[in-house]
Amino acid sequence: MADRSAPSCHLRLEWVYGYRGHQCRNNLYYTAAKEIVYFVAGVGVVYSPREHRQKFYLGHQDDIISLALHPERVLVATGQVGKEPYICVWDSYTVQTVSVLKDVHTHGIACLAFDLDGQRLVSVGLDSKNTVCVWDWRKGKLLSMAPGHTDRIFDISWDLYQPNKLVSCGVKHIKFWSLCGNSLTPKRGVFGKTGDLQTILCLACARDEVTYSGALNGDIYVWKGINLVRTIQGAHAAGIFSMNACEEGFATGGRDGCVRLWDLNFKPITVIDLRETDQGYKGLSVRSVCWRGDHILVGTQDSEIFEIVVHERNKPFLIMQGHCEGELWALAVHPTKPLAMTGSDDRSVRIWSLIDHALIARCNMEEPIRCAAVSTDGIHLALGMKDGSFTVLRVRDMTEVVHIKDRKEAIHELKYSPDGNFLAVGSNDSSVDVYGVVQRYKKVGECVGSLSFITHMDWSSDSKYLQTNDGNGKRLFYRMPSGKEVTNKEELKGIQWASWTCVSGVEVNGIWPKYSDINDINSVDANFIGQVMVTADDYGIVKLFRYPCLRKGAKFKKYLGHSAHVTNVRWSHDHQWVVSIGGADHSVFQWKFVPDRKLKDTLHIAPQESLVDSNSDESDSDQSDVPELDSEIEQETQITYRRQVYKEDLPQLKEQCKEKRKSAASKRRERAPGNSIRLHFVHGYRGYDCRSNLFYTQTGEIVYHVAAVGVVYNRQQNTQRFYLGHDDDILCLAIHPLKDYVATGQVGRDSSIHIWDTETIKPLSVLKGYHQYGVCAVDFSADGKRLASVGIDDNHTIVLWDWKKGEKLSAVRGSKDKIFVVKINPYMPDKLITVGIKHMKFWRRAGGGLIGRKGCIGALGRTDTMMCAVYGWTEEMAFSGTSTGDVCIWRDVFLIKTVKAHDGPVFSMHALEKGFVTGGKDGVVALWDDTFERCLKTYAIKRAALAPGSKGLLLEDNPSIRAISLGHGHILVGTKNGEILEVDKSGPITLLVQGHMEGEVWGLATHPHLPICATVSDDKTLRIWDLSPSHCMLAVRKLKKGGRCCCFSPDGKALAVGLNDGSFLIVNADTLEDLVSFQHRKDVISEIRFSPGTGKYLAVASCDNFVDIYNVMSSKRVGICKGASSYITHMDWDVRGKLLQVNTGAKEQLFFEAPRGKKQTIPSLEVEKIGWASWTSVLGSCCEGIWPIIGEVTDVTASCLTSDSKVLATGDDFGFVKLFRYPAKGKFGKFKRYVAHSTHVTNVRWTYDDSLLVTVGGADTSLMLWTYEMEGHRDSRQCDSEESDLDSEEDGGYDSDVTRENEINYTIKALSTNIRPMFGIKPHLQQKEPTLDESSLFQTTS
């Protein structure tokens, strides 16, 4: 059975033995329901003494070290340790999270306290500054933050009698804080002559600015204001760890084991010395007290909790015990009774009843205990010690049978043989000793095959063999009892093992992750009957696997609770429970095993929500048979949006090039050109990797995005307006419920989301600072106030924003795999869903965090990859579209049914007033009723249905549909092929916008005398575009291969196209039918050019470093230009058609004579005199200035000169289009720069009359048209260019004061602007009626 799926049974935490008393104080309280709340390891525990029942809060993923109780005593705040520790506020009744406070503290959270009305929470960090933070905890919002002290802070409290005052104390200090606005200011307490300056461990505030505090020497210091006014000496004999204020007065607890009660004026009432009571012992130390009415709770250093009833104070009741400080490693279960035995470095061995959840026996040994075993008859308990000895006790009365020391190093594992005759003892001396039980533990054998310490052992069922694991990960076999090593494979074949606790071996291969250190799994135990096994590892995780588990990287279910390493884990004798023990947290966890058949009954219980999944990382629980991902989705998940260099890096890169700037600054540089360009029209729509990014606005225009441009398209006038605030690829777009604002998210190192107005095209808010690499999904809430976004970082972080304020409300790590969509619940803006690769999650906001629950599939199947989602007609209904064509219908988090909707993935889905509309890869738009019972109508996107007014041609029938939107009586559809179509309800389809499909676009040519251009792309199409106001695609032809270049013949009748397989075609420019084709090369044809005049010759450049010259009339190759040392990038003819200029990838500028192809060397002065028919070259002295300062990082990929030879346009790898004056001599010329393309601008061309500049943008698949505007013709549009890299520093002309002022660095916070436009004049700007003297002044002046 090589099943790699996770087991279908599971574990439920039933009991935790222990209480964290070490290194913590004040962490034990009564709740309003008279339950007791405390914590141990990473679990918050609520214990009901009446019912002897525990509830668990599992929202933390590391040790909890601090706890505070809300004044209403239902809510609890807990803080944990860790690299990014967080605070959880949770409900002690339901044990569900109410709020998560995060992203501020580091290292850990040492103290917590609520204020009087419970609205605010103060926390103290474990960082070097011991930062103090005040939170509005319900919102998860930090109100104020200040460094606490240079040394540790032990306690902090709000002054309950004065608002906005706090007191903190710690190592050799006490501080009195006041909170004013958002600033916290401390004043240090003055010890003066009244008492010694010493460490203060705890405090409590009283009326009239009086503060009581407990000191390290056992005194109580009383403060008035910030001054020490008196001391109560000898209140305790040693440090006072805890002080608790209640209605009756104060309780204190100290290291001397005493609890003292004081009245409200701190006069002593009574003393309870716990050491003197029945349960007491020498060295008992009190860490926490809580006084409530006639009950007192006491927590001790050694993990006990006592409850004292005041009038029977000499009979404290012990309600919880655990091991004390020191590692806990030894665990054994009784062979016939529900008992577990544990032994620890605290030298005690304890026996626990798994039924009564209580400690029933305890015995102290001489040495720290490292392992334990119970004999098969349950009579003897063997304990292995750290000093190399072992002891055998009688289980009945814990009396010693024998104590033997044969080894110097610790005994780490011992086991009785199944027949009860032998005890095998494995030590860190790398050997196993075998002792005869009946012969009073006489040594009868020794196994010496290992080279490292022994870690695990198992006997065979017939007691004849022993298998061992050692620290090197070696598995060895021995014949028993002699201890002779067995190496013969045949002999080992039939062995049945009595138990399986080894971590290496074929049967347990699957427990190891694919890449893992051999020692990080500490313990394993197999349940042969249930065919499951449980493992314990160094990361605090208990996992459940199938057994046997043969293939590496098997799926599992995982359970958190232990904080650091789990040292041992065992099944109880009847497999009802699993017992696990934690090393450093020295706690014992008891888990109930819930087999598969029971699971059916528990399905109606909602899954435990936690901040961490209970299912394993890779395990999407039962996905052993993962279906093939749809090819399109697979392609999409493989796209990486990482850039070598981000635009944000530019200023830094320029800084690094300072030296070059200085040298350049001394020379006079050319001015930037006076003329400019303005973006006029964009052909293209980003459909190949985006979904649901196409909407109608309020006014019936259409908004979508391509490259780095947000486009608002008016379909009546066929014009576009552009939002140009982004500087890299936009990946997602969402529209505000009022359909007037749009949010777009882009790629970037620290990527931003822009919210902008579709009418004015002005930005309203820019959100940055939380998403790395890019934003792949955004959504507005129904009231339009909130925005949710998802990043493409490794954790796919989800952030919820108040976008007008620019404030992050909550954030959480979403998923390891890609998330495609986020949707905010329209009825409850605190809830959202995300869908993605094998991912459907329901989130609710909890303060600064979000808490997620996986969709519950139940018996209906497995989690599919989801591509789209919408909410339905009530707050609990949600619908998602899967990659297999189903629509899943969810109520709350449960899947209630699935409906087959499309062949292939459902990419887009939209909710209407009554019903839904879906679109899929099958090219069908389907309308559904409001329950998905009936499909009301389908529209197939076919060429035959195209209406006459279309702005282009459909490339294929049934293109994959990526976006759907409804409005204005039409259905708007966006396809993967980059088309935007409008479907009339009656059936005809109008194509509105079109661009190239996925793949880079490089080839671009403009017609010699018509407003037409041709493009050719890696998407294997050649297209002709109309550049006149009708802006449409005139013709398209599918090619057998992608292409990288094209060129019109001088008469415009023929079009030459170079393909990526080394062949090229000449086609009729009107019909695109073949005239002729050739193939002489193997590599990509990179440039192709007709000679000027009659177009007699055609020069064809390829990436295998040659230029071939063909005679067009005779269709023969007449010359080959050799001598380039790299691939050819650019080519230009001179006016006579006799000379070719060639640029190569090695930045060579070469010249060849046509038609033979002889190489010429021409000095640069001569080159300038030659008349060139075109200039698209990027090298040479005439265009030295177009290379930026950071020329090593980025390439100028294309250039084109206007026909009057005045302005050179260039495109580069950064997505910039720039204009330079020509000739651009001297380095680093000044320019005007425009951003619209995202990454590489691969080609630029002026039209025949220079009225337009046409640019294509590599991977962004777009074709952009820019109008060329002469100097003087400048309406101030919002996108005027940015000026050059090198600013005007070198122009001088600054007054010295101005220079100084210019160099001062100010940091400016972006001020929030008012968003909706206001009308009228503000009062202080309204003109007053002029007074008499003023009016007389006016008259005289007039």
Side-chain angles (χ1 to χ4, degrees):
M1 177 175 124
D3 189 355
R4 276 172 69 186
S5 62
S8 47
C9 45
H10 75 128
L11 300 178
R12 192 178 68 237
L13 187 55
E14 180 175 291
W15 201 262
V16 176
Y17 301 89
Y19 149 77
R20 170 123 187 196
H22 60 105
Q23 301 148 4
C24 289
R25 285 159 310 284
N26 300 325
N27 58 355
L28 177 62
Y29 297 101
Y30 282 112
T31 68
K34 299 207 171 60
E35 295 179 315
I36 297 169
V37 61
Y38 58 96
F39 57 81
V40 56
V43 181
V45 182
V46 183
Y47 170 65
S48 160
R50 273 209 310 274
E51 299 169 18
H52 190 55
R53 206 167 60 93
Q54 288 181 342
K55 291 184 289 198
F56 307 103
Y57 175 69
L58 298 166
H60 287 282
Q61 86 280 59
D62 210 329
D63 267 329
I64 302 176
I65 54 165
S66 52
L67 181 148
L69 191 64
H70 189 274
E72 289 164 7
R73 307 201 341 266
V74 175
L75 297 174
V76 181
T78 45
Q80 67 168 60
V81 295
K83 200 164 73 192
E84 296 172 348
Y86 51 86
I87 300 161
C88 293
V89 181
W90 46 281
D91 183 318
S92 65
Y93 187 68
T94 62
V95 292
Q96 299 287 14
T97 312
V98 181
S99 182
V100 181
L101 315 177
K102 53 186 214 176
D103 296 340
V104 177
H105 287 296
T106 58
H107 299 81
I109 289 130
C111 320
L112 292 166
F114 283 99
D115 70 353
L116 180 61
D117 58 2
Q119 297 296 319
R120 292 175 301 183
L121 178 72
V122 63
S123 60
V124 179
L126 277 181
D127 52 293
S128 54
K129 296 196 176 113
N130 295 287
T131 310
V132 176
C133 296
V134 178
W135 304 83
D136 175 338
W137 62 266
R138 275 200 191 277
K139 288 190 179 147
K141 198 163 130 193
L142 183 65
L143 300 174
S144 172
M145 175 169 166
H149 192 66
T150 47
D151 223 324
R152 271 290 303 273
I153 294 178
F154 289 134
D155 200 1
I156 191 160
S157 171
W158 291 84
D159 187 327
L160 302 178
Y161 301 95
Q162 302 181 75
N164 299 328
K165 294 272 194 285
L166 299 114
V167 191
S168 68
C169 64
V171 177
K172 299 204 169 154
H173 78 281
I174 182 165
K175 280 188 179 175
F176 297 87
W177 300 80
S178 53
L179 174 63
C180 183
N182 69 353
S183 85
L184 268 172
T185 12
K187 288 185 175 154
R188 285 193 76 151
V190 181
F191 285 84
K193 300 256 177 10
T194 323
D196 303 335
L197 168 67
Q198 60 164 319
T199 294
I200 308 286
L201 295 168
C202 58
L203 52 82
C205 296
R207 305 180 174 280
D208 310 326
E209 293 188 59
V210 173
T211 306
Y212 298 106
S213 62
L216 188 60
N217 65 358
D219 295 353
I220 281 173
Y221 281 24
V222 185
W223 305 80
K224 172 96 174 165
I226 63 166
N227 295 305
L228 179 58
V229 288
R230 66 191 174 102
T231 65
I232 301 171
Q233 290 188 348
H236 285 267
I240 303 175
F241 284 127
S242 178
M243 187 181 286
N244 177 243
C246 70
E247 290 94 66
E248 284 89 14
F250 300 90
T252 57
R255 194 167 162 188
D256 57 0
C258 292
V259 173
R260 297 194 65 160
L261 306 185
W262 313 78
D263 68 11
L264 291 165
N265 300 319
F266 239 87
K267 301 274 184 295
I269 301 175
T270 180
V271 183
I272 301 161
D273 186 344
L274 284 169
R275 291 181 184 183
E276 301 303 313
T277 59
D278 311 347
Q279 306 277 3
Y281 52 90
K282 187 167 149 284
L284 186 147
S285 158
V286 176
R287 302 293 293 201
S288 189
V289 286
C290 172
W291 178 15
R292 197 84 220 137
D294 56 351
H295 285 75
I296 301 164
L297 274 181
V298 183
T300 72
Q301 168 87 31
D302 289 349
S303 311
E304 295 135 340
I305 300 176
F306 291 96
E307 187 169 39
I308 304 170
V309 181
V310 178
H311 49 264
E312 294 178 9
R313 64 189 79 128
N314 51 357
K315 291 209 184 78
F317 183 56
L318 193 53
I319 56 177
M320 179 50 70
Q321 286 165 282
H323 279 281
C324 324
E325 212 157 353
E327 296 249 323
L328 174 58
W329 278 86
L331 168 66
V333 289
H334 194 285
T336 55
K337 295 187 184 137
L339 300 177
M341 288 69 166
T342 57
S344 133
D345 287 2
D346 68 5
R347 298 190 164 93
S348 72
V349 54
R350 299 171 188 238
I351 303 182
W352 312 88
S353 161
L354 301 179
I355 287 186
D356 301 333
H357 300 140
L359 177 68
I360 53 174
R362 136 173 205 179
C363 172
N364 286 346
M365 311 303 291
E366 302 296 310
E367 288 295 326
I369 304 166
R370 275 294 156 108
C371 57
V374 187
S375 61
T376 333
D377 51 15
I379 293 172
H380 284 179
L381 169 64
L383 303 169
M385 308 297 186
K386 208 172 170 177
D387 67 343
S389 64
F390 73 94
T391 302
V392 181
L393 305 176
R394 285 184 192 83
V395 173
R396 195 178 60 237
D397 53 5
M398 302 292 249
T399 51
E400 188 174 297
V401 178
V402 60
H403 177 84
I404 295 173
K405 182 168 185 339
D406 285 342
R407 296 283 167 196
K408 300 215 170 27
E409 302 253 338
I411 306 291
H412 194 80
E413 174 78 312
L414 38 71
K415 271 215 174 65
Y416 281 96
S417 63
D419 60 9
N421 291 336
F422 301 106
L423 173 67
V425 180
S427 83
N428 285 359
D429 294 352
S430 6
S431 55
V432 180
D433 299 322
V434 186
Y435 298 89
V437 175
V438 198
Q439 300 98 315
R440 284 202 46 82
Y441 292 94
K442 174 174 169 257
K443 183 165 167 182
V444 295
E446 188 174 340
C447 314
V448 287
S450 284
L451 303 170
S452 176
F453 51 93
I454 306 293
T455 57
H456 304 85
M457 297 187 301
D458 285 303
W459 286 86
S460 63
S461 307
D462 57 8
S463 305
K464 289 190 179 148
Y465 296 96
L466 184 76
Q467 67 165 331
T468 66
N469 287 179
D470 62 25
N472 292 338
K474 285 264 184 304
R475 178 187 182 196
L476 298 171
F477 303 92
Y478 300 97
R479 210 173 281 119
M480 287 287 132
S482 63
K484 191 166 179 303
E485 193 177 339
V486 182
T487 47
N488 171 6
K489 290 267 165 57
E490 285 306 307
E491 190 176 339
L492 300 171
K493 271 208 172 132
I495 301 182
Q496 290 282 319
W497 298 104
S499 63
W500 189 288
T501 59
C502 285
V503 295
S504 42
V506 188
E507 289 86 338
V508 292
N509 269 344
I511 67 176
W512 296 99
K514 296 198 176 90
Y515 316 99
S516 152
D517 165 24
I518 241 20
N519 294 326
D520 58 9
I521 297 180
N522 296 316
S523 177
V524 170
D525 195 16
N527 167 352
F528 297 138
I529 302 161
Q531 292 190 315
V532 280
M533 68 176 152
V534 57
T535 70
D537 65 29
D538 279 352
Y539 308 110
I541 299 172
V542 173
K543 295 180 182 171
L544 205 54
F545 288 90
R546 291 181 187 269
Y547 177 87
C549 188
L550 308 172
R551 287 165 61 198
K552 268 205 160 191
K555 310 284 191 228
F556 49 84
K557 293 205 169 142
K558 71 174 182 185
Y559 302 93
L560 297 156
H562 287 288
S563 48
H565 43 286
V566 189
T567 49
N568 216 326
V569 60
R570 288 287 177 269
W571 290 93
S572 64
H573 74 101
D574 55 1
H575 302 314
Q576 273 203 58
W577 293 285
V578 168
V579 181
S580 62
I581 56 174
D585 60 35
H586 50 253
S587 54
V588 181
F589 282 49
Q590 177 179 337
W591 309 83
K592 181 83 178 148
F593 176 58
V594 185
D596 322 14
R597 57 176 188 283
K598 290 269 180 56
L599 272 178
K600 308 273 185 296
D601 321 337
T602 55
L603 249 184
H604 59 275
I605 306 170
Q608 161 74 35
E609 53 175 25
S610 73
L611 305 183
V612 200
D613 271 343
S614 70
N615 278 354
S616 46
D617 319 329
E618 302 91 333
S619 145
D620 286 293
S621 60
D622 27 49
Q623 304 249 319
S624 49
D625 46 346
V626 182
E628 281 297 297
L629 260 185
D630 179 82
S631 56
E632 262 183 46
I633 301 172
E634 189 167 16
Q635 254 174 322
E636 190 175 323
T637 51
Q638 287 162 3
I639 300 175
T640 160
Y641 297 96
R642 310 276 160 104
R643 310 261 188 255
Q644 244 84 49
V645 185
Y646 287 90
K647 295 209 174 64
E648 289 117 299
D649 307 341
L650 284 174
Q652 238 172 324
L653 291 166
K654 284 181 194 155
E655 278 303 299
Q656 292 161 10
C657 306
K658 265 211 157 130
E659 295 314 300
K660 292 203 212 155
R661 299 177 61 158
K662 295 223 172 77
S663 64
S666 51
K667 306 192 183 74
R668 187 181 166 284
R669 284 161 56 227
E670 198 55 73
R671 303 198 316 282
N675 302 350
S676 56
I677 55 176
R678 192 173 82 234
L679 190 56
H680 174 60
F681 202 87
V682 179
H683 288 285
Y685 152 71
R686 182 146 188 164
Y688 67 88
D689 63 343
C690 300
R691 279 156 312 282
S692 303
N693 54 355
L694 170 64
F695 298 99
Y696 283 111
T697 68
Q698 245 175 8
T699 54
E701 295 181 306
I702 290 169
V703 61
Y704 59 97
H705 63 87
V706 62
V709 188
V711 183
V712 180
Y713 172 72
N714 182 318
R715 60 195 206 287
Q716 281 78 26
Q717 298 164 1
N718 195 27
T719 55
Q720 294 176 340
R721 304 195 316 255
F722 308 103
Y723 177 71
L724 295 165
H726 288 284
D727 60 9
D728 206 328
D729 271 328
I730 300 177
L731 296 182
C732 55
L733 181 150
I735 196 155
H736 188 282
L738 296 178
K739 308 261 189 280
D740 53 352
Y741 300 161
V742 161
T744 42
Q746 71 163 63
V747 169
R749 191 175 293 280
D750 169 12
S751 47
S752 56
I753 300 162
H754 292 227
I755 293 95
W756 46 280
D757 185 324
T758 55
E759 270 306 293
T760 62
I761 316 283
K762 292 225 173 20
L764 308 167
S765 178
V766 176
L767 311 175
K768 289 185 78 141
Y770 288 96
H771 288 302
Q772 265 179 313
Y773 308 124
V775 180
C776 61
V778 284
D779 187 43
F780 280 101
S781 60
D783 60 5
K785 291 183 178 153
R786 291 187 179 175
L787 183 78
S789 59
V790 180
I792 50 177
D793 54 289
D794 296 337
N795 293 313
H796 296 92
T797 309
I798 304 168
V799 178
L800 192 61
W801 306 85
D802 176 334
W803 63 266
K804 289 186 187 176
K805 292 190 186 142
E807 183 184 348
K808 175 194 81 147
L809 300 174
S810 304
V812 71
R813 296 175 171 185
S815 163
K816 286 216 175 19
D817 286 313
K818 187 152 182 200
I819 292 179
F820 294 128
V821 180
V822 60
K823 278 275 182 259
I824 302 180
N825 190 319
Y827 310 96
M828 304 175 71
D830 273 348
K831 291 193 166 177
L832 37 128
I833 42 180
T834 54
V835 302
I837 302 279
K838 299 206 286 276
H839 166 103
M840 172 86 191
K841 245 177 166 182
F842 296 80
W843 304 87
R844 66 179 176 85
R845 183 178 170 214
L850 289 156
I851 289 177
R853 286 155 67 174
K854 284 192 168 169
C856 230
I857 293 147
L860 289 170
R862 49 164 186 258
T863 308
D864 224 328
T865 289
M866 307 279 177
M867 302 304 300
C868 57
V870 292
Y871 275 99
W873 58 93
T874 64
E875 62 196 54
E876 56 240 15
M877 296 304 289
F879 301 86
S880 63
T882 71
S883 59
T884 51
D886 292 336
V887 169
C888 296
I889 303 177
W890 305 81
R891 182 182 290 120
D892 196 25
V893 298
F894 300 102
L895 178 61
I896 39 184
K897 71 181 235 193
T898 58
V899 176
K900 185 76 180 151
H902 289 272
D903 293 333
V906 185
F907 281 128
S908 186
M909 193 169 199
H910 208 73
L912 317 173
E913 276 86 71
K914 293 195 175 59
F916 297 90
V917 55
T918 59
K921 185 178 173 177
D922 54 7
V924 173
V925 177
L927 291 173
W928 302 82
D929 65 4
D930 54 6
T931 53
F932 271 100
E933 300 282 327
R934 273 183 28 250
C935 180
L936 307 174
K937 189 155 188 190
T938 58
Y939 300 94
I941 307 293
K942 288 208 161 40
R943 292 181 208 164
L946 266 196
S950 290
K951 299 287 175 202
L953 310 159
L954 264 185
L955 279 188
E956 55 187 14
D957 280 344
N958 302 335
S960 178
I961 294 176
R962 306 303 291 249
I964 299 188
S965 171
L966 275 88
H968 304 272
H970 293 89
I971 304 173
L972 200 54
V973 175
T975 74
K976 180 178 193 238
N977 298 348
E979 297 130 354
I980 297 180
L981 310 155
E982 198 170 53
V983 181
D984 191 276
K985 295 270 167 77
S986 61
I989 299 175
T990 315
L991 194 147
L992 302 173
V993 174
Q994 184 161 36
H996 274 282
M997 303 184 280
E998 190 172 8
E1000 301 215 350
V1001 190
W1002 282 76
L1004 169 67
T1006 49
H1007 194 280
H1009 49 257
L1010 293 172
I1012 283 178
C1013 75
T1015 55
V1016 60
S1017 145
D1018 290 353
D1019 70 7
K1020 302 187 187 162
T1021 61
L1022 166 67
R1023 302 174 185 230
I1024 308 284
W1025 307 87
D1026 186 343
L1027 306 180
S1028 69
S1030 69
H1031 297 307
C1032 62
M1033 184 173 85
L1034 297 171
V1036 59
R1037 170 172 165 188
K1038 290 195 179 170
L1039 306 167
K1040 61 180 193 304
K1041 284 278 182 288
R1044 285 274 163 126
C1045 56
C1046 58
C1047 179
F1048 281 100
S1049 61
D1051 58 7
K1053 289 198 173 123
L1055 177 61
V1057 185
L1059 303 183
N1060 293 350
D1061 62 352
S1063 63
F1064 69 93
L1065 320 165
I1066 302 178
V1067 300
N1068 177 320
D1070 293 330
T1071 62
L1072 301 190
E1073 282 160 5
D1074 275 15
L1075 299 172
V1076 57
S1077 78
F1078 289 94
Q1079 177 152 15
H1080 282 119
R1081 299 284 167 209
K1082 302 258 181 310
D1083 214 335
V1084 176
I1085 303 294
S1086 54
E1087 183 62 299
I1088 193 161
R1089 278 305 174 86
F1090 282 98
S1091 63
T1094 56
K1096 184 178 177 188
Y1097 296 113
L1098 179 67
V1100 181
S1102 75
C1103 285
D1104 39 18
N1105 311 358
F1106 298 106
V1107 179
D1108 297 319
I1109 300 177
Y1110 293 84
N1111 181 323
V1112 181
M1113 304 307 158
S1114 65
S1115 303
K1116 288 206 170 67
R1117 178 158 66 162
V1118 290
I1120 300 178
C1121 311
K1122 302 177 181 148
S1125 62
S1126 176
Y1127 55 94
I1128 313 293
T1129 55
H1130 304 81
M1131 225 171 23
D1132 290 300
W1133 288 89
D1134 75 334
V1135 185
R1136 304 166 308 151
K1138 295 279 166 65
L1139 191 64
L1140 262 181
Q1141 168 183 212
V1142 169
N1143 290 185
T1144 74
K1147 308 234 162 114
E1148 307 160 296
Q1149 184 186 28
L1150 307 171
F1151 299 94
F1152 297 97
E1153 237 171 20
R1156 291 286 163 264
K1158 188 162 173 274
K1159 192 171 166 194
Q1160 303 288 334
T1161 335
I1162 306 180
S1164 61
L1165 282 172
E1166 294 300 312
V1167 176
E1168 292 173 32
K1169 291 180 190 159
I1170 298 172
W1172 295 100
S1174 61
W1175 184 281
T1176 58
S1177 163
V1178 295
L1179 302 172
S1181 59
C1182 299
C1183 37
E1184 188 184 17
I1186 69 177
W1187 287 87
I1189 288 185
I1190 48 176
E1192 285 82 82
V1193 186
T1194 168
D1195 256 347
V1196 180
T1197 43
S1199 80
C1200 187
L1201 188 58
T1202 53
S1203 42
D1204 61 4
S1205 304
K1206 295 231 172 93
V1207 176
L1208 185 66
T1210 68
D1212 63 32
D1213 279 354
F1214 263 119
F1216 294 134
V1217 175
K1218 295 179 180 174
L1219 299 186
F1220 291 86
R1221 261 175 209 274
Y1222 185 83
K1225 293 188 176 178
K1227 287 195 168 164
F1228 317 129
K1230 292 196 189 167
F1231 50 79
K1232 293 185 172 170
R1233 163 176 105 173
Y1234 305 87
V1235 182
H1237 287 291
S1238 48
T1239 44
H1240 312 297
V1241 180
T1242 48
N1243 221 328
V1244 300
R1245 290 288 181 268
W1246 294 99
T1247 53
Y1248 70 101
D1249 56 357
D1250 291 344
S1251 60
L1252 293 171
L1253 176 68
V1254 189
T1255 59
V1256 287
D1260 68 27
T1261 69
S1262 60
L1263 167 71
M1264 301 200 182
L1265 317 184
W1266 309 74
T1267 48
Y1268 184 44
E1269 301 184 339
M1270 297 302 162
E1271 210 161 357
H1273 173 264
R1274 278 289 260 313
D1275 33 353
S1276 54
R1277 291 306 275 267
Q1278 91 262 26
C1279 142
D1280 221 344
S1281 67
E1282 306 176 46
E1283 295 294 331
S1284 20
D1285 287 355
L1286 278 182
D1287 312 312
S1288 44
E1289 291 152 41
E1290 62 277 6
D1291 300 355
Y1294 271 158
D1295 175 280
S1296 60
D1297 283 358
V1298 181
T1299 309
R1300 216 186 85 235
E1301 190 170 325
N1302 190 37
E1303 283 163 1
I1304 299 174
N1305 278 323
Y1306 299 103
T1307 53
I1308 298 174
K1309 279 229 173 87
L1311 304 169
S1312 68
T1313 51
N1314 191 5
I1315 291 175
R1316 306 237 179 226
M1318 302 282 206
F1319 299 104
I1321 303 169
K1322 292 185 177 167
H1324 63 279
L1325 298 176
Q1326 288 172 359
Q1327 293 203 325
K1328 300 196 295 281
E1329 288 295 306
T1331 56
L1332 276 173
D1333 8 333
E1334 282 180 11
S1335 51
S1336 60
L1337 270 173
F1338 285 135
Q1339 283 148 13
T1340 51
T1341 50
S1342 59

